[in-house]
Amino acid sequence: AVNDLAAQGADYIKISFEPGPGGWPILSFEEARTVTDAAHERGLQVIAHVEDASYLDQAIDSGVDIITHIGYRWQGERLFTDMSNLTPDSTPFSNYDGYDALITRMVEHVALIPTLDVLIGERALDSAPAVGMTEVVRRFHERGGLVAVGDDYPLGVTQPGIPFGEIEHLLAAGLTPLEVITAGTKNAALVCGHGDDLGTLEAGKLADLIIVEGDPLEDLEALRNLKLVMIDGQIAFDYR
């Protein structure tokens, strides 16, 4: 399957470590390791869908490069049911107090695409699930983990275009405006397998960029004031 996808021009390989909403097959460690080895031999990264934190160790051990989503369940049971005693030094995750060590393992081995917007959805931002998932990203980022913007479009509440919902959640998780922009450009290109072509303004890369009015390093709301879109160095949309 990996060979076939690579031959068709896939940018990366994605696998899942849980049954998912449609009864997906659960890969054994040996199967997942075979997938990652085959992908790496062909220069492709492997992204692992993990929403059940009990699979994080297996995903990391199998050699995946990127985790997408936040593990908000543990063996099927929901985590983050009570975050009332959260402190900077606590391990507050209600059903599984080893989660903090898993975050450190993730920092050492994988990049993270949190998709907080689709996972938090319509929940109140001060609700236990929202606080818990945001705290995972905060700790991952503070320990030096690579965070990339991704919103799981077209599922859930996400919309096409600049993912402002995800941006707001990442700001809440402690990323600075510059770090959020980096997560949505350089880091997003890296996890999509296009770090050599996109994501930064450098000689030899595609000049795909937007020009806005205002300073997004001071206020990311400036990204809403779109003035120009360039694709490969050519003006594609001009809103001036």
Side-chain angles (χ1 to χ4, degrees):
V2 172
N3 290 340
D4 183 53
L5 290 168
Q8 294 182 57
D11 298 307
Y12 56 84
I13 303 298
K14 185 175 181 180
I15 58 177
S16 175
F17 280 90
E18 60 183 296
W24 308 333
I26 300 177
L27 299 178
S28 67
F29 170 79
E30 291 76 14
E31 290 168 332
R33 185 79 217 192
T34 300
V35 168
T36 57
D37 287 347
H40 292 162
E41 287 174 4
R42 286 149 187 81
L44 298 176
Q45 298 183 107
V46 179
I47 297 178
H49 166 111
V50 182
E51 292 185 8
D52 192 310
S54 64
Y55 288 100
L56 280 171
D57 274 326
Q58 182 174 322
I60 293 169
D61 290 342
S62 68
V64 305
D65 306 284
I66 301 131
I67 299 292
T68 187
H69 308 308
I70 297 296
Y72 63 91
R73 299 190 299 270
W74 178 259
Q75 295 181 353
E77 295 186 12
R78 287 186 177 271
L79 299 166
F80 319 133
T81 56
D82 180 9
M83 304 295 287
S84 59
N85 297 319
L86 178 63
T87 67
D89 299 321
S90 67
T91 309
F93 310 122
S94 56
N95 294 28
Y96 180 63
D97 62 6
Y99 205 139
D100 194 64
L102 282 175
I103 295 172
T104 298
R105 278 207 81 197
M106 290 170 62
V107 170
E108 295 169 350
H109 295 283
V110 298
L112 176 64
I113 308 171
T115 68
L116 286 171
D117 192 31
V118 71
L119 293 178
I120 293 175
E122 300 300 323
R123 295 183 178 93
L125 297 183
D126 61 354
S127 66
V131 171
M133 288 186 279
T134 303
E135 182 67 14
V136 172
V137 179
R138 181 186 303 278
R139 295 183 185 207
F140 181 85
H141 170 252
E142 287 179 346
R143 295 171 195 179
L146 189 149
V147 177
V149 170
D151 60 4
D152 214 27
Y153 176 80
L155 297 180
V157 298
T158 58
Q159 300 294 325
I162 295 176
F164 286 104
E166 190 70 10
I167 285 172
E168 291 168 355
H169 288 306
L170 292 179
L171 287 172
L175 278 72
T176 66
L178 177 58
E179 288 169 337
V180 172
I181 291 171
T182 301
T185 53
K186 179 182 179 180
N187 295 354
L190 286 172
V191 301
C192 288
H194 285 281
D196 293 335
D197 306 315
L198 300 169
T200 58
L201 296 176
E202 296 181 69
K205 290 191 174 183
L206 296 175
D208 289 1
L209 58 103
I210 62 172
I211 297 173
V212 301
E213 182 176 342
D215 184 357
L217 298 183
E218 295 294 329
D219 184 357
L220 284 174
E221 282 294 310
L223 295 177
R224 297 185 188 272
N225 301 323
L226 194 59
K227 296 302 178 185
L228 207 67
V229 177
M230 298 186 72
I231 299 177
D232 199 13
Q234 303 298 315
I235 296 176
F237 297 95
D238 190 340
Y239 301 102
R240 293 173 296 179

